[in-house]
Amino acid sequence: MGPARYGVMVARVVAITYGKQADDPSLLISGIGRAEAMAYRDARGQAMTDPDWSEIECRLRRAYRSLKAAVAGG
């Protein structure tokens, strides 16, 4: 399963957890972003470098900003 499809599933779980709509764009962006960060990590395996970890950190920060916006959005 690719990150886009898995990310939608992540967004659905978060929607249930926080009582939000599963189709909220911020939740979808967050879920897909988190899944893409996981896929990025998995693709590199043992060859991870410090710049790779920095890239993952940036991706996750963007994803969690979207999650925060969705949860705070009432």
Side-chain angles (χ1 to χ4, degrees), residues 51-64:
D52 289 328
W53 286 115
S54 293
E55 176 64 24
I56 289 171
E57 180 181 12
C58 287
R59 290 173 184 228
L60 290 175
R61 284 184 187 275
R62 282 193 301 267
Y64 283 105

Side-chain angles (χ1 to χ4, degrees), residues 2-4 6-8 10 30-40:
Y6 182 68
V8 170
V10 170
S30 176
I32 292 169
R34 291 166 61 191
E36 287 173 343
M38 287 185 263
Y40 183 95

Side-chain angles (χ1 to χ4, degrees), residues 12-69:
R12 288 180 182 160
V13 170
V14 171
I16 292 167
T17 302
Y18 289 101
K20 301 294 180 178
Q21 294 296 315
D23 62 351
D24 181 311
S26 292
L27 285 184
L28 292 170
I29 289 168
S30 176
I32 292 169
R34 291 166 61 191
E36 287 173 343
M38 287 185 263
Y40 183 95
R41 164 59 183 98
D42 290 348
R44 280 147 186 80
Q46 296 298 316
M48 286 291 292
T49 63
D50 286 341
D52 289 328
W53 286 115
S54 293
E55 176 64 24
I56 289 171
E57 180 181 12
C58 287
R59 290 173 184 228
L60 290 175
R61 284 184 187 275
R62 282 193 301 267
Y64 283 105
R65 276 195 299 271
S66 291
L67 174 60
K68 184 177 178 182

